[in-house]
Amino acid sequence: MHAIVVGGGIGGLGAAAGLHRIGWQVTVLEQAEEFGDVGAGISLWPNALRCLDELGVDLGEHLAAQHEGGFRDRRGRRVTRFDSAAFERIHGRPLGAIHRRDLIAALRDAVPAESLKTGAEVTEVHEDGRVRFTGGELQADLVVAADGIRSPIRHALFPRHPEPVYSGSTAFRGVAKFPGARLSTSFDRGTEIGVLPLTGDDVYWWVSYVTEAGNRPDDPKKYLQQHFGDWHDPIPALIDATPPEAVLHHDLYYLGTPLETYVKGRVALLGDAAHAMPPFLGQGGCQAIEDATVLAHQLSTKDIAPALAAYDGERRPRSQKVARESVRMGKVGPQLANPVAVKMRTALLRTLPAQVTVRVGKDITGWRPPRLPRPAPPRTP
């Protein structure tokens, strides 16, 4: 069986790894000239780490388990504590973080090199599995559309479906060298700043705040220094230590109208193409990895049509629920701007024991994937 995966990001390479693991031939078509991702980090919750095990993806020494940290206010005063030991006891896995480039490399290594094609812009996808791209045309038993939030394939298959909508927040991101940084998420009115340690003294940081879409400062680093230079340590130092060209700025969009199906003919939508969500739960990439695992599992146990129906029936309710929760979390968390409401939220969070906070969202992060077939061990002569 042959699958074409359109898109070489986290979801696309995850799908390719899963399909290869169950014995399919896979062709990954990536529009860019090389596989990679933006220069920032990503949190990997236990649900995603379990999926990566099933997909046969080895993160090696690149995964950074998160230890003590928690929520703070802009002055650095602790609001809640993250109890990493309790979190790991509950979930069996830590909260992990990794540089996106390292995650992409690990996913790529789980796929045969001959399956990966770069510089391949897809121009047509048909429900029967026919794909036209720069360089040729292929016929496949399955097409996986992992072509992102602005998915041309989604638009072609569902031309009347509304386009993504603005979440109300914009975000700056970067990675800086800063030994000794600890996990933290800090809030103020309509603003969130996160600090997520990676390996090798790298630290992923982000700033999100409520504003109109399209506001673009001429000098993003200088803008951040001016507006957030009085926040608690190490936030100003992290911004200062990030090269100006490495500061990323994106308005945050999501798929505001849920799709009625993730499948059409022999085409399956996956990741942001199917359920783009705001990042306020840190689950966008994790849900794409879940998609990849479930798709591979269903295709390992059923013919294509019933497998795709089962994939849609399993993934659509869960991923759309997570998307709704991400929107809701944004409204009561980083997007909350009313000063009275912010004070009430802070007071409430301070009353919560650490044992309670590590259980928040357990129905999302506690999800366990189906098992995938293991490759047969090599025969001994």
Side-chain angles (χ1 to χ4, degrees):
M1 305 297 285
H2 179 216
I4 296 172
V5 178
V6 182
I10 292 171
L13 289 174
L19 292 169
H20 171 66
R21 193 169 180 86
I22 66 171
W24 279 52
Q25 177 190 350
V26 184
T27 302
V28 180
L29 302 177
E30 167 57 39
Q31 181 175 340
E33 293 301 324
E34 60 182 23
F35 289 92
D37 210 330
V38 293
I42 182 174
S43 55
L44 291 176
W45 295 83
N47 52 315
L49 293 175
R50 295 187 189 97
C51 288
L52 291 170
D53 286 346
E54 294 302 320
L55 295 172
V57 176
D58 182 8
L59 300 179
E61 300 299 318
H62 297 296
L63 184 72
Q66 300 303 298
H67 300 296
E68 298 306 311
F71 290 130
R72 298 182 180 274
D73 66 16
R74 66 178 294 163
R75 293 169 57 186
R77 295 174 298 188
R78 175 173 284 172
V79 177
T80 65
R81 183 172 71 89
F82 174 69
D83 188 334
S84 59
F87 184 89
E88 194 161 352
R89 281 197 304 271
I90 292 168
H91 292 283
R93 298 293 177 90
L95 166 59
I98 191 170
H99 199 293
R100 283 178 178 265
R101 67 165 182 249
D102 294 328
L103 176 56
I104 289 291
L107 289 163
R108 189 180 62 232
D109 288 345
V111 182
E114 61 271 19
S115 296
L116 306 175
K117 296 185 182 297
T118 57
E121 180 181 359
V122 172
T123 56
E124 289 183 35
V125 170
H126 298 269
E127 294 180 34
D128 63 0
R130 184 162 48 92
V131 176
R132 183 171 294 171
F133 60 100
T134 52
E137 183 175 317
L138 291 171
Q139 179 72 44
D141 300 289
L142 169 69
V143 178
V144 178
D147 53 343
I149 185 172
R150 302 285 179 183
S151 170
I153 298 175
R154 183 185 66 232
H155 181 73
L157 296 178
F158 306 99
R160 296 185 178 181
H161 192 83
E163 290 299 303
V165 297
Y166 182 51
S167 71
S169 292
T170 196
F172 296 83
R173 295 176 291 164
V175 174
K177 287 284 185 184
F178 197 92
R182 305 183 76 176
L183 171 71
S184 70
T185 302
S186 304
F187 290 115
D188 197 17
R189 294 172 55 187
T191 305
E192 174 188 74
I193 301 182
V195 176
L196 193 63
L198 307 175
T199 55
D201 291 333
D202 281 344
V203 179
Y204 167 46
W205 59 266
W206 71 90
V207 176
S208 77
Y209 60 89
V210 174
T211 186
E212 293 181 1
N215 288 336
R216 319 296 293 185
D218 294 332
D219 187 334
K221 179 172 177 176
K222 184 177 180 180
Y223 176 87
L224 292 171
Q225 290 169 325
Q226 291 173 342
H227 287 80
F228 304 102
D230 62 345
W231 282 56
H232 67 82
D233 293 333
I235 291 167
L238 288 170
I239 296 171
D240 291 344
T242 306
E245 67 276 8
V247 177
L248 306 172
H249 182 198
H250 297 93
D251 289 337
L252 303 177
Y253 283 79
Y254 68 101
L255 204 60
T257 303
L259 283 166
E260 294 184 359
T261 179
Y262 291 174
V263 171
K264 200 158 191 182
R266 291 178 176 266
V267 182
L269 275 68
L270 182 147
D272 282 350
H275 47 68
M277 60 190 70
F280 303 126
L281 284 178
Q283 279 288 324
C286 297
Q287 290 302 302
I289 295 169
E290 283 190 15
D291 290 346
T293 310
V294 170
L295 180 64
H297 168 71
Q298 295 296 350
L299 289 166
S300 73
T301 60
K302 301 177 181 69
D303 292 335
I304 292 176
L308 293 183
Y311 164 76
D312 179 61
E314 184 172 349
R315 289 306 304 155
R316 187 159 42 83
R318 173 168 165 81
S319 59
Q320 290 178 353
K321 176 185 176 182
V322 175
R324 290 193 301 272
E325 284 297 302
S326 297
V327 174
R328 187 186 70 83
M329 184 58 67
K331 294 184 184 303
V332 301
Q335 295 180 315
L336 191 65
N338 181 284
V340 175
V342 170
K343 287 182 180 179
M344 291 177 62
R345 178 193 63 196
T346 301
L348 174 62
L349 288 174
R350 282 201 170 106
T351 66
L352 297 178
Q355 293 286 340
V356 173
T357 60
V358 296
R359 293 182 179 274
V360 174
K362 187 174 182 296
D363 61 327
I364 295 175
T365 58
W367 185 86
R368 294 181 178 273
R371 298 298 301 273
L372 296 185
R374 271 30 182 187
R379 291 186 177 182
T380 56

